[in-house]
Structures are given as structure tokens and as C-alpha cells.
């Protein structure tokens, strides 16, 4: 006799407080940017001293959204939208609505910002609720870190990253529920929104290698690839230059704010401060990914999916040649799912808040503003850069410890094997490096 399932409304009730708190976080993120929203955008000094910078408003003008459509715009190559196509189309639809609502270009840009913020706020709430469903009843309150942590509130509306965050959490929930095609579709859309979800393919592959659950992996990745092609091919065919702008920009972009490589270049370190950053970054990421692969295939117990996703994403961030303040939004959900321990999370969040403050003060002291009376020096700024690297490194070390000593994993202490694992949950080992070398 099967147990009757509770009505949808009853099952939704436990999630309502989280949704309301996430909505509060989205509202606070809007309030943080009110000094810019009320005119501060037109003064760089005011923007930085009020810590309210966003890409959304200036890109409306700088990427010709006021008059043309992304990817098809008749503009110089360096003025094409430098994002994957899902984000470009989100920008296009919202710009259409803004143009329809407001005849004046400046009013359109403000409306474009407001409408974008509404969408991003909805994505934050959706991401938090999806994360709660992924975490399961025993860890339902862990997503509070995503809903209202100071670093998330401060970074929420700098760029469009929350769209990819909601899609990534949707992918993880679909995988948990063993809905393979929806998981692949959402993964493909997430990669076509921001490129970082590509790191999750490696995590799925490593756990598939250990468990030999190949069919679910191939169905999911096949669905992801098909989805990515469906949304990208029209632009590849009809707007090649606009489509490839993101990939050319990513390849040619030099070392930028937030990256530890900037420290080495600024200080003139031998080798790491002089070599090509793209090569250094790729080699460093490859070394870390190799370490993650060895860890996954030699651990005494199969790691949880969220643990490997977190390690892969963290490795991508610390080796990247760019580390913008909003990248914290990528990592928070996976850091919490990997190791919901408040002490290292709080330490990392403090480091992210300090970096958020430091980057804008540092830019005040850089040309063309050169306001040394308001800004901070190189050395002070780099304390914030290394604060993020060190605190994320600490969390990575704890996750590695939990993988090597599963009795230390707070999630598995409740008797759960892998709450996000889907087909990996309770799956037996089929291949490990230890057994292969015997």
C-alpha cells in the first residue's frame, strides 16, 4: 500500500519563509544601489564612494541596447555584447520592454535597470527555493546563506549572474530527482548563460567514472549539448561576429581586477608575474582539476556531487585571470551544499565583503580618477584579493578533509549518502584508482 502524497500547498508551506527571506535579500540589494539609481550613475566618484556600481545601466548605452539588438547590432566588434546568448537575449527582451514603456533614452535605461533587477530578484528567490529542495528537509535552512548573506546582497545586481544561478540550481534539483533530460536542458541553458556551469560536467564525469552509471551521464550531457546548440546555432549562422564576441573577449582579455595573477604582475614576481596569464591560468586549473580527479577516484568513500562541484568551481575561480565581485554568487550555493558549517563560511563572507569595499576604493585611486584622498593603495587592495583566495582555500581544505574522512562530513552524519547525487546516491563503487593499481 503506497503512502498518500501531501497536497502541493502543504508541501510548499515549509519553503514560504525561505522565499520571503530571499525576497527581503533581493529588496536589500536594490536598496544598496539606490544612490546610483537616483542619479549617482552619472558620477564615477559618487558611484564608487556609494559602493553602488552595476554593469546593467551603463551597458544599456555602451552596447547600443537603446537602438539595436544584441549580436545583430551594427557596431564595432568591441562594442558587441560580451555575454553568451541566453544573457544577450534576456537583455534584448528587457530592452524591448523598456523602449516600449519609455520614449526617452535616459528614462529607458533606468527602466531597463529596474526591470532587470526584478528579473534578478525573482532568480534569487527561485535559486534559494530550488537550493532548499536540493538540500532536503534535514538541511532546508542552509540556503539562508544564499538568500540574505551580506556578500550576496552587495553583489546581487552588479551583473546578470543570478540567472545562471537559478538555472544551475534547477539542473541540480532535476539531477537529484533523476530527471535526466530536464537536467541536461537546464545545464545547457546555464552554460549558454554564463560559462562557469561547464565545470559541473567534469564533476558528473568523475562520479560517473567511479560508479559506472554511464547512461544517465550520457543522456544528461547529450541533452545539454543539444540544448546549447539549439540556442546558439541561429546566432552562429546569422550573427557570427556578435556571437563570437564572448569567446574572443574571454580569450584575449588580460589579467584583471580580483585575480591573484594581478598581484604577481603588479609586484613584478619572476615567472608568475611575467608569463602569459592565459597559459598560467589554464595550467594551474589543469593541475587543480587533476588533483580533484585523483581525490575523487581514491577517496575511501565516493564524494558527494556538491563537494566535487564546489572544488571544481573554486579551482576555476582562484586560477582565473578575472575575479569580479559578483562571482561570489556562483560559489555560495555550492559552498553551502558542500560543507554547511557556519565558521569557514562566515570567514569567507567577511573576506568577500572586504573585497567588495576594497575594489571600489581602489578604483578611486586609479587613473583616470586618481583620487588618492578617497581611495586605497595597492597593498591594501591586495589584502582583499588574498583574503578571498585564502578563505576559499580554507573551505576547499575542509571539503577535502571531509572527503578523506567521511565521518567529519556534517551532511552524512544524518545518515544521508548524497542528497544531490541522483543516480550516484548509494551507488556502489565500480572503479577506483586504488583497486585499479592492485
Amino acid at each position: 500500500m503506497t503512502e498518500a502524497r501531501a497536497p502541493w500547498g502543504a508541501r510548499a508551506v515549509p519553503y514560504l519563509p525561505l522565499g520571503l527571506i530571499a525576497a527581503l535579500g533581493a529588496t536589500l540589494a536594490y536598496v544598496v544601489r539606490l544612490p546610483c539609481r537616483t542619479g549617482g550613475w552619472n558620477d564615477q566618484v559618487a558611484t564608487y564612494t556609494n559602493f553602488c556600481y552595476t554593469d546593467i545601466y551603463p551597458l544599456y548605452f555602451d552596447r547600443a541596447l537603446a537602438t539595436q539588438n544584441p549580436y545583430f547590432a551594427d557596431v564595432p566588434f568591441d562594442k558587441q555584447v560580451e555575454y553568451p546568448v541566453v544573457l544577450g537575449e534576456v537583455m534584448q527582451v528587457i530592452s524591448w520592454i523598456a523602449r516600449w514603456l519609455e520614449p526617452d533614452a535616459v528614462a529607458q535605461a533606468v527602466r531597463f535597470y529596474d526591470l532587470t533587477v526584478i528579473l534578478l530578484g525573482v532568480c534569487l528567490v527561485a535559486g534559494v527555493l530550488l537550493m532548499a529542495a536540493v538540500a532536503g528537509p534535514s538541511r532546508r535552512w542552509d540556503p539562508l546563506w544564499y538568500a540574505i548573506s551580506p556578500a550576496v546582497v552587495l553583489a546581487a545586481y552588479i551583473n546578470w549572474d543570478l540567472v545562471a544561478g537559478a538555472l544551475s540550481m534547477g539542473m541540480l534539483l532535476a539531477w537529484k530527482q533523476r530527471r535526466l533530460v530536464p537536467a541536461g536542458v537546464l545545464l545547457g541553458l546555464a552554460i549558454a548563460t554564463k560559462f562557469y556551469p561547464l565545470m559541473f560536467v567534469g564533476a558528473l564525469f568523475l562520479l560517473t567514472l567511479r560508479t559506472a552509471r554511464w547512461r544517465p551521464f550520457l543522456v544528461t550531457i547529450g541533452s545539454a549539448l543539444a540544448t546549447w546548440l539549439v540556442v546558439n546555432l541561429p546566432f552562429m549562422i546569422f550573427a557570427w561576429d556578435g556571437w563570437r564576441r564572448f569567446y574572443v573577449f574571454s580569450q584575449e582579455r588580460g589579467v584583471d581586477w580580483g585575480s591573484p595573477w594581478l598581484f604577481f604582475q603588479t609586484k613584478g614576481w619572476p615567472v608568475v608575474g611575467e608569463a602569459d596569464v592565459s597559459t598560467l591560468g589554464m595550467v594551474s586549473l589543469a593541475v587543480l582539476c587533476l588533483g580533484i580527479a585523483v581525490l575523487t577516484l581514491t577517496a575511501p568513500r565516493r564524494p558527494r556531487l556538491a563537494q566535487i562541484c564546489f572544488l571544481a568551481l573554486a579551482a576555476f575561480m582562484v586560477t582565473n585571470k578575472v575575479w569580479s565581485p559578483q562571482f561570489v554568487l556562483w560559489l555560495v550555493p555550492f559552498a553551502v551544499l558542500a560543507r554547511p558549517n557556519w565558521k569557514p563560511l562566515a570567514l569567507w563572507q567577511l573576506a568577500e565583503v572586504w573585497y567588495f569595499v576594497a575594489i571600489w576604493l581602489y578604483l578611486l585611486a586609479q587613473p583616470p580618477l586618481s583620487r588618492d584622498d578617497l581611495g586605497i593603495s595597492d597593498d591594501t587592495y591586495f589584502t582583499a584579493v588574498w583574503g578571498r583566495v585564502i578563505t576559499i582555500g580554507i573551505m576547499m581544505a575542509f571539503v577535502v578533509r571531509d572527503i578523506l574522512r567521511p565521518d567529519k562530513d556534517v551532511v552524512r552524519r544524518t545518515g544521508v549518502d548524497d542528497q544531490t547525487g541522483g543516480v550516484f546516491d548509494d551507488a556502489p563503487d565500480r572503479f577506483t584508482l586504488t583497486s585499479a593499481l592492485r
Side-chain angles (χ1 to χ4, degrees), residues 6-302:
W8 180 90
R11 287 184 280 120
V13 168
Y15 296 94
L16 289 178
L18 274 173
L20 292 173
I21 294 170
L24 174 61
T27 303
L28 291 174
Y30 183 78
V31 171
V32 165
R33 281 173 174 73
L34 277 180
C36 283
R37 167 64 177 74
T38 54
W41 281 315
N42 302 315
D43 181 349
Q44 270 194 305
V45 172
T47 297
Y48 295 154
T49 54
N50 286 291
F51 308 105
C52 58
Y53 176 81
T54 177
D55 290 326
I56 298 167
Y57 178 85
L59 286 186
Y60 185 76
F61 298 107
D62 203 46
R63 297 298 181 266
L65 294 172
T67 56
Q68 301 189 60
N69 297 331
Y71 312 113
F72 297 92
D74 183 18
V75 295
F77 186 66
D78 63 347
K79 294 298 182 181
Q80 290 279 0
V81 168
E82 64 271 43
Y83 301 118
V85 297
V86 170
L87 270 195
E89 290 311 290
V90 167
M91 296 165 72
Q92 176 173 294
V93 170
I94 295 177
S95 68
W96 280 346
I97 299 172
R99 279 184 258 168
W100 177 67
L101 292 174
E102 300 287 353
D104 176 73
V106 174
Q108 286 172 15
V110 175
R111 189 73 70 183
F112 177 75
Y113 170 78
D114 288 341
L115 292 171
T116 301
V117 162
I118 291 171
L119 171 65
L120 295 177
V122 170
C123 287
L124 177 60
V125 174
V128 168
L129 294 177
L130 289 167
M131 182 181 170
V134 168
S138 64
R139 310 295 318 183
R140 184 167 287 145
W141 291 101
D142 290 343
L144 283 176
W145 286 99
Y146 192 29
I148 204 168
S149 73
V152 170
V153 169
L154 291 172
Y157 302 147
I158 294 177
N159 203 279
W160 287 263
D161 300 76
L162 286 170
V163 178
L167 290 170
S168 296
M169 284 298 102
M171 177 277 294
L172 208 58
L173 179 59
W175 177 265
K176 171 185 176 174
Q177 296 175 341
R178 309 189 184 198
R179 300 171 63 192
L180 305 179
V181 172
V185 169
L186 289 167
L187 178 58
L189 289 174
I191 296 170
T193 303
K194 288 278 183 174
F195 219 48
Y196 75 87
L198 188 64
M199 300 304 296
F200 308 146
V201 175
L204 291 170
F205 172 76
L206 289 173
L207 292 173
T208 297
L209 190 59
R210 180 151 179 165
T211 61
R213 299 291 173 90
W214 287 103
R215 183 183 177 280
F217 173 78
L218 294 174
V219 169
T220 300
I221 300 307
S223 301
L225 178 60
T227 301
W228 188 90
L229 287 172
V230 165
V231 298
N232 278 271
L233 271 177
F235 299 93
M236 296 169 70
I237 295 170
F238 298 109
W240 173 253
D241 281 344
W243 176 83
R244 72 186 182 96
R245 167 65 175 147
F246 165 72
Y247 302 95
V248 173
F249 178 69
S250 299
Q251 181 181 5
E252 296 181 349
R253 189 175 188 179
V255 65
D256 213 332
W257 311 120
S259 171
W261 304 118
L262 181 64
F263 169 82
F264 297 128
Q265 282 194 355
T266 302
K267 297 299 182 180
W269 280 43
V271 183
V272 291
E274 299 166 353
D276 177 68
V277 175
S278 294
T279 302
L280 279 174
M282 287 190 292
V283 170
S284 302
L285 178 59
V287 169
L288 288 177
C289 287
L290 179 61
I292 294 168
V294 172
L295 174 68
T296 304
L297 298 175
T298 58
R301 183 175 176 182
R302 171 185 34 77

Side-chain angles (χ1 to χ4, degrees), residues 127 131 134 142-143 145-146 164-173 187 190 196-201 203 304-314 317 327-341 345 348 395 399 411 419-420:
M131 182 181 170
V134 168
D142 290 343
W145 286 99
Y146 192 29
L167 290 170
S168 296
M169 284 298 102
M171 177 277 294
L172 208 58
L173 179 59
L187 178 58
Y196 75 87
L198 188 64
M199 300 304 296
F200 308 146
V201 175
R304 292 186 290 112
L305 176 60
Q307 292 174 318
I308 305 305
C309 286
F310 165 73
L311 290 176
L313 188 53
M317 291 172 67
F327 289 6
V328 65
L329 303 172
W330 302 0
L331 198 57
V332 166
F334 292 93
V336 174
L337 290 171
R339 194 171 192 276
N341 183 290
L345 285 169
W348 170 49
M395 291 198 303
V399 170
V411 174
Q419 87 278 39
T420 62

